[in-house]
């Protein structure tokens, strides 16, 4: 027995000696593997930096893809355009998502015009402070009484609370089909609820209540030229169909006759005058003669102008509604009347909140979760929706639904989470304001922080994907970056930006912010440079 125990003890001792002898060898192998991995990464970084430096120096002969490129009234050669690239102001920061290691930096702490990259900050703020499951509530209510005959003795109030999707938009976001059904779909459902509540006539007004938000239709820094267009639609707590009208235009039956047009949703709110004419099939229409809608600020008269060849397909023009609440009231009255409800009053707007008496809710619409609204905003870069989110956060957290209060919350949010608040100067929620400024470093800091939150995966999934959907649908197609870049785009005159996440060939996740400012390049060429940098990210890492 004693001999067996002795033998066993000797075996354990020998095993321990072997393990101790092997430990330095294993540690040595691990250290060597680590050094090898570091050398490989450094080589990748050097190759990537060389590629990016070549692009920004205008030495990459593959850009621009097509040549010559029209700019203004003249065609500019590829050589001239490449020479202009280094004259622009470029800001880049690319980091490893896990370690935070900087892989490339250029002017990373300098200010740039972010354009719609601003929406990253607005949507992250909303998800953080309201939560991805927050829902908007729109009601039809009254302080009057409803008698046994269905007479509503008092006003019928359509109360908006900032829902950006009171429309026929498909949710969740569908890259193949954005809209489905009538444009005023949600208002139709609310009207059905009013009828179901027993209302047959209204001895009062149809009132649009947009007082949930402070009155400020256009943020500072928006250009007057933006106002007629869908991307510059006025901000209102009561937003119907993106506060825009669709004008469908077809050629007339004969050359020289007026074009045919149809406006949806139609509320009888605007007077349309048709000055557009049909021209012979095959006519090349100059840009100055293209179809367009003209409306003077403050006017309700809209003129359709331009020429349309007889063999043209249907064209759709968009007109922003300048008085969203007033238009919503007129539209809702028309919908009610179509359902047999007689309105003895008029359509009007409530300009101040009326807490005089508790209201009876006759119909209600509850929105999809906030995360679905975020997906629409970032996928298609919806300016109006981003402005609504900024004010919704302010209303819920401060009781005042204003742009100023929303921006105060944003600054505090960035400060509390140590997200380089001194490098963020934002004046609106969408990025349409020309005085907005961001640094690449602040943008990357926000993206890294967002990715670590419980809603981080949903935030990333809400970004356009290269070559697949949203504002990146037509970019980087048939390149290694297709499907591997999820990023927010930004475009204003002489400014382009792209910021988000890259999944590389080796499986790394990178976080990046790319800005191009003060360049004298056609936007398409600036985008080609940014896209080529994305391709290099995916290939080299």
């Amino acid at each position: 027995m004693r001999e067996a125990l002795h033998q066993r003890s000797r075996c354990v001792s020998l095993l321990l000696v072997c393990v101790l002898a092997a430990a330095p060898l294993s540690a040595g192998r691990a250290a060597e593997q680590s050094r090898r991995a570091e050398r490989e990464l450094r080589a990748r970084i050097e190759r990537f930096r060389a590629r990016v430096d070549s692009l920004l120096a205008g030495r990459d002969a593959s850009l621009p893809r097509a040549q010559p490129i029209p700019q203004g009234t003249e065609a500019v050669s590829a050589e001239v355009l490449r020479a202009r690239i280094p004259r622009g102001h470029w800001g880049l920061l690319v980091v490893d998502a896990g370690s935070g290691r900087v892989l490339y930096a250029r002017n990373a702490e300098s200010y740039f015009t972010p354009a719609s990259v601003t929406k990253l900050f607005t949507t992250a703020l909303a998800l953080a402070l309201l939560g991805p499951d927050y829902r908007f509530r729109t009601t039809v209510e009254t302080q009057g009484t409803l008698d046994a005959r269905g007479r509503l003795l008092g006003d019928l109030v359509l109360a908006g609370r900032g829902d950006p999707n009171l429309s026929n938009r498909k949710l969740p976001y569908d890259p193949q089909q954005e809209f489905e059904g009538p444009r005023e779909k949600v208002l139709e459902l609310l009207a059905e609820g009013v009828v179901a509540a027993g209302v047959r006539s209204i001895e009062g007004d149809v009132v649009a209540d947009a007082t949930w938000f402070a009155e400020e239709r256009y943020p500072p820094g928006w250009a007057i030229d933006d106002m007629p267009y869908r991307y510059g639609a006025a901000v209102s707590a009561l937003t119907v169909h993106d506060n825009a009208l669709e004008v469908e235009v077809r050629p007339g039956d004969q050359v020289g006759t007026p074009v045919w047009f149809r406006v949806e949703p139609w509320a009888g709110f605007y007077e349309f005058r048709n000055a557009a004419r049909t021209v012979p099939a095959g006519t090349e229409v100059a840009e100055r003669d293209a179809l367009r809608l003209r409306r003077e600020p403050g006017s309700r008269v809209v003129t359709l102008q331009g020429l349309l060849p007889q063999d043209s397909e249907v064209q759709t023009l968009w007109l922003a509604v300048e008085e969203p609440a007033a238009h919503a009231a007129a539209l809702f009255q028309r919908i009610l009347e179509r359902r047999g409800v007689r309105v003895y009053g008029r359509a009007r707007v409530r300009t101040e909140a009326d807490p005089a008496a508790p209201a009876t809710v006759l119909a209600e619409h509850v929105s999809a979760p906030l995360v679905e609204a975020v997906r629409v905003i970032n996928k298609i870069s919806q300016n109006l929706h981003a402005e609504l989110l900024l004010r919704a956060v302010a209303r819920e957290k401060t009781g005042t639904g204003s742009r100023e209060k929303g921006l105060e919350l944003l600054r505090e949010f960035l400060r509390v989470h140590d997200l380089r608040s001194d490098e963020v100067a934002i004046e609106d929620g969408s990025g349409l304001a020309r005085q907005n400024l961001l640094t690449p470093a602040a943008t990357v800091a926000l993206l890294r922080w967002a990715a670590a939150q419980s809603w981080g995966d949903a935030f990333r999934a809400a970004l356009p994907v290269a070559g697949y959907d949203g504002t990146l649908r037509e970019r980087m197609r048939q390149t290694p970056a297709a499907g591997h870049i999820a990023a927010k785009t930004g475009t204003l005159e002489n400014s382009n930006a792209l910021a988000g996440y890259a999944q590389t060939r080796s499986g790394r996740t990178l976080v990046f912010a790319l800005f191009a400012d003060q360049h004298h390049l056609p936007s398409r060429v600036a985008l080609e440079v940014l896209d080529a940098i994305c391709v290099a990210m995916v290939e080299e890492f």
Side-chain angles (χ1 to χ4, degrees):
M1 181 71 173
R2 182 179 299 173
E3 186 177 343
L5 289 173
H6 181 68
Q7 185 67 26
R8 187 175 177 183
S9 177
R10 287 183 61 195
C11 290
V12 169
S13 298
L14 287 171
L15 179 61
L16 181 60
V17 169
C18 291
V19 168
L20 292 174
L25 294 176
S26 298
R29 286 196 207 96
E32 178 55 33
Q33 288 174 352
S34 178
R35 287 192 291 270
R36 190 182 304 119
E38 176 62 20
R39 287 194 298 270
E40 181 182 344
L41 179 58
R42 286 183 179 179
R44 290 173 182 268
I45 292 172
E46 289 304 314
R47 288 196 303 269
F48 176 67
R49 290 177 176 175
R51 286 180 67 171
V52 175
D53 289 344
S54 178
L55 284 164
L56 299 185
R59 294 195 300 267
D60 190 326
S62 68
L63 297 179
R65 306 291 181 203
Q67 49 183 305
I69 290 179
Q71 187 172 27
T73 58
E74 60 181 12
V76 183
S77 70
E79 291 76 13
V80 169
L81 290 171
R82 281 197 294 273
R84 290 179 183 174
I85 291 173
R87 296 174 189 152
H89 185 40
W90 299 85
L92 288 76
L93 182 60
V94 182
V95 306
D96 182 90
S99 67
R101 180 169 182 171
V102 174
L103 307 177
Y104 188 97
R106 175 183 290 219
N107 298 322
E109 296 182 347
S110 297
Y111 282 126
F112 290 84
T113 301
S116 285
V117 165
T118 302
K119 294 181 177 71
L120 292 173
F121 288 77
T122 305
T123 52
L125 176 74
L127 288 169
L129 298 192
L130 299 181
D133 296 323
Y134 175 86
R135 293 174 186 262
F136 298 91
R137 183 170 167 262
T138 305
T139 56
V140 181
E141 52 195 48
T142 184
Q143 292 178 340
T145 58
L146 182 64
D147 70 14
R149 296 182 180 181
R151 291 187 307 162
L152 178 60
L153 305 175
D155 296 333
L156 185 74
V157 180
L158 175 62
R161 296 177 181 84
D163 188 344
N165 288 300
L166 295 180
S167 66
N168 60 339
R169 178 172 281 108
K170 290 183 69 175
L171 296 174
Y173 166 78
D174 184 348
Q176 306 304 320
Q177 184 180 6
E178 186 176 359
F179 298 106
E180 184 177 60
R183 282 78 169 173
E184 60 270 34
K185 184 177 181 178
V186 176
L187 292 193
E188 297 273 9
L189 293 173
L190 287 169
E192 289 176 8
V194 170
V195 173
V199 177
R200 298 294 177 265
S201 65
I202 301 170
E203 296 190 9
D205 297 335
V206 175
V207 181
D209 183 350
T211 59
W212 193 251
F213 292 163
E215 175 70 21
E216 186 191 51
R217 289 179 292 169
Y218 301 102
W222 285 25
I224 193 170
D225 293 346
D226 298 329
M227 291 171 59
Y229 298 102
R230 186 185 182 191
Y231 65 81
V235 182
S236 171
L238 184 53
T239 286
V240 177
H241 194 52
D242 301 343
N243 290 342
L245 303 178
E246 286 180 72
V247 183
E248 184 181 290
V249 186
R250 303 172 186 265
D253 293 336
Q254 296 178 359
V255 171
T257 60
V259 300
W260 178 94
F261 73 96
R262 180 183 180 88
V263 180
E264 295 290 350
W266 179 248
F269 189 77
Y270 286 104
E271 176 189 343
F272 272 76
R273 297 175 181 175
N274 187 2
R277 292 296 178 265
T278 307
V279 296
T283 300
E284 290 190 17
V285 177
E287 185 177 350
R288 67 177 181 275
D289 294 323
L291 289 177
R292 62 192 178 279
L293 296 166
R294 185 174 175 223
R295 183 196 66 210
E296 292 297 322
S299 172
R300 293 189 183 180
V301 177
V302 180
T303 304
L304 175 59
Q305 300 175 323
L307 305 175
L308 186 65
Q310 201 167 24
D311 57 348
S312 294
E313 298 292 327
V314 176
Q315 294 194 29
T316 300
L317 306 177
W318 289 82
L319 178 73
V321 173
E322 194 173 1
E323 303 168 81
H327 180 264
L331 180 60
F332 195 49
Q333 177 175 339
R334 184 170 289 249
I335 292 170
L336 288 166
E337 290 172 339
R338 285 205 303 258
R339 277 165 173 68
V341 178
R342 181 163 294 183
V343 180
Y344 290 101
R346 62 189 177 91
R348 63 179 177 87
V349 175
R350 175 179 286 172
T351 55
E352 294 183 3
D354 182 8
T360 300
V361 174
L362 301 175
E364 179 182 42
H365 173 76
V366 178
S367 75
L370 175 69
V371 69
E372 299 301 337
V374 167
R375 191 188 304 267
V376 171
I377 289 169
N378 285 336
K379 289 286 188 184
I380 69 172
S381 204
Q382 227 297 344
N383 290 335
L384 170 61
H385 293 201
E387 297 298 336
L388 295 175
L389 249 63
L390 182 67
R391 290 154 180 78
V393 173
R395 174 71 197 214
E396 291 291 348
K397 296 301 177 182
T398 72
T400 300
S402 69
R403 178 185 58 87
E404 291 89 345
K405 288 294 184 181
L407 293 174
E408 286 177 14
L409 287 170
L410 176 61
R411 288 189 285 270
E412 178 66 10
F413 162 77
L414 295 173
R415 187 191 64 77
V416 166
H417 295 289
D418 196 21
L419 296 176
R420 293 178 172 261
S421 58
D422 58 328
E423 297 177 23
V424 178
I426 290 176
E427 296 299 325
D428 69 359
S430 62
L432 194 56
R434 274 62 174 179
Q435 66 265 47
N436 289 341
L437 293 170
L438 290 177
T439 68
T443 308
V444 165
L446 176 84
L447 287 164
R448 291 192 69 208
W449 180 86
Q453 306 311 302
S454 60
W455 41 264
D457 289 345
F459 181 74
R460 177 171 173 170
L463 298 175
V465 177
Y468 175 67
D469 67 10
T471 53
L472 286 180
R473 183 171 187 166
E474 301 301 323
R475 290 172 59 181
M476 293 175 261
R477 300 180 76 176
Q478 299 179 336
T479 74
H484 292 271
I485 299 292
K488 185 70 200 73
T489 56
T491 301
L492 285 172
E493 188 173 2
N494 297 326
S495 295
N496 299 91
L498 187 66
Y501 307 94
Q503 198 70 34
T504 72
R505 281 180 168 176
S506 67
R508 289 178 184 271
T509 299
L510 309 183
V511 185
F512 66 89
L514 315 177
F515 292 93
D517 251 6
Q518 304 170 36
H519 60 72
H520 186 44
L521 294 167
S523 184
R524 201 191 81 196
V525 175
L527 297 183
E528 285 182 359
V529 175
L530 299 183
D531 292 354
I533 294 171
C534 289
V535 171
M537 274 192 280
V538 173
E539 288 184 329
E540 296 297 348
F541 295 105

